[in-house]
């Protein structure tokens, strides 16, 4: 015949369970506090890394911005960071003016290209030295497009591979002549069109001869008779 446990035994069992639960709760609270501390450390470290990366980008950004010449009045550009949980980057010119509101679409495009190229060049740790550009001259006038071509040419001369897709054939020929490792090799332009299967495919390959040496110098020396 089973004997029901006494009230004291039940109370003792409940107390042990309460003690175990309290210990588990204390360990859980300690784990939560540790996790929050780790999260703050990770966010702080991430913010410091972002700040360090941007510090490397800043001089490159200004140099490329000046070479692309987005605006005649504001010749320098800076950046600012706001937010603790999420870091938001914004560019500014002049007296803390946001280029988004004072630049034209082409000027904003040129400033954005300067920033993206500076990010590409600041990745000294990366082995990927290829730069892919899809119609970078969209909304950019011919004046700034020529500056962009010269910047890309400098990158190519420094040993980087530059792959650029444009719609203008004359600009494509110019890129073929400028994005060369030597001055006597031909450039190659690929025409991409929709094939019979409905997919993009290379429809033609055109060799573009290099510009003859001294052409620009000779043209500059010519005089117009009148």
């Amino acid at each position: 015949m089973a004997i029901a446990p006494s009230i004291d035994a039940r109370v003792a069992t409940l107390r042990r369970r309460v003690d175990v639960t309290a210990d588990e709760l204390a360990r859980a609270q300690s784990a939560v506090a540790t996790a929050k501390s780790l999260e703050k450390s990770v966010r702080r470290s991430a913010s410091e890394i972002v700040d360090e990366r941007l510090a490397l980008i800043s001089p490159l950004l200004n140099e490329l911005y000046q070479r692309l010449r987005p605006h005649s009045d504001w010749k320098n550009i800076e950046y600012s960071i706001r937010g603790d949980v999420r870091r938001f980057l914004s560019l500014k010119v002049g007296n803390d003016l946001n280029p988004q509101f004072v630049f034209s679409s082409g000027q904003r495009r040129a400033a954005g290209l300067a920033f993206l190229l500076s990010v590409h060049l600041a990745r000294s740790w990366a082995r990927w030295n290829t730069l892919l550009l899809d119609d970078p001259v969209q909304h950019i006038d011919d004046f700034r497009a020529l500056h962009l071509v010269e910047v890309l040419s400098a990158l190519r001369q420094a040993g980087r591979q530059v792959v650029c897709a444009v719609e203008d054939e004359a600009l494509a020929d110019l890129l073929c002549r400028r994005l060369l490792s030597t001055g006597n090799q031909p450039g190659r332009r690929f025409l991409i069109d929709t094939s019979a299967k409905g997919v993009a495919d290379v429809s033609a390959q055109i060799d573009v001869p290099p510009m003859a040496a001294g052409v620009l110098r000779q043209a500059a020396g010519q005089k117009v008779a009148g």
Side-chain angles (χ1 to χ4, degrees):
M1 179 178 178
I3 301 176
S6 64
I7 299 298
D8 293 339
R10 290 183 178 181
V11 170
T13 300
L14 291 175
R15 285 178 176 175
R16 286 195 296 272
R17 291 179 179 178
V18 169
D19 292 339
V20 171
T21 303
D23 291 340
E24 292 177 349
L25 179 60
R27 288 195 295 270
Q29 291 174 341
S30 176
V32 170
T34 302
K36 288 182 178 180
S37 176
L38 289 173
E39 182 184 13
K40 290 181 180 179
S41 299
V42 169
R43 288 180 177 177
R44 183 171 58 253
S45 299
S47 299
E48 292 174 355
I49 291 173
V50 170
D51 293 340
E52 290 177 0
R53 295 296 182 188
L54 289 176
L56 295 175
I57 291 174
S58 182
L60 291 170
L61 172 61
N62 249 312
E63 179 181 352
L64 290 167
Y65 176 85
Q66 292 170 4
R67 294 185 67 175
L68 293 178
R69 301 181 184 180
H71 203 284
S72 58
D73 294 334
W74 295 301
K75 302 184 183 303
N76 295 289
I77 192 168
E78 298 178 353
Y79 67 87
S80 60
I81 304 175
R82 57 186 175 85
D84 295 328
V85 178
R86 287 189 175 183
R87 307 284 279 175
F88 295 94
L89 172 71
S90 60
L91 302 177
K92 57 184 180 179
V93 294
N95 296 323
D96 291 338
L97 298 175
N98 191 331
Q100 182 178 357
F101 305 113
V102 295
F103 279 16
S104 66
S105 59
Q107 291 168 340
R108 290 196 300 270
R109 182 81 170 185
L113 282 170
F115 178 76
L116 292 177
L117 290 174
S118 64
V119 171
H120 173 74
L121 293 174
R123 299 177 308 114
S124 58
W125 48 268
R127 297 182 180 180
W128 180 259
N129 286 328
T130 300
L131 177 63
L132 303 176
L133 296 173
D134 182 13
D135 198 11
V137 296
Q138 188 178 15
H139 304 303
I140 294 180
D141 57 27
D142 293 343
F143 174 75
R144 293 183 180 87
L146 291 176
H147 285 297
L148 175 62
V149 170
E150 292 308 307
V151 169
L152 297 180
S153 176
L155 296 180
R156 180 68 188 94
Q157 295 297 322
R160 295 179 181 268
Q161 182 185 30
V162 180
V163 180
C164 187
V166 295
E167 295 183 1
D168 186 88
E169 293 186 3
L171 179 59
D173 287 344
L174 177 61
L175 286 167
C176 286
R177 290 189 170 98
R178 297 298 294 148
L179 300 183
L180 300 175
S181 56
T182 63
N184 56 3
Q185 68 178 133
R188 177 163 294 177
R189 174 160 57 93
F190 296 89
L191 297 181
I192 300 177
D193 203 350
T194 304
S195 66
K197 297 181 180 180
V199 296
D201 196 5
V202 177
S203 59
Q205 299 181 17
I206 303 173
D207 287 338
V208 180
M211 184 179 295
V215 169
L216 296 179
R217 184 167 59 251
Q218 292 174 7
Q222 292 178 353
K223 296 182 179 179
V224 179

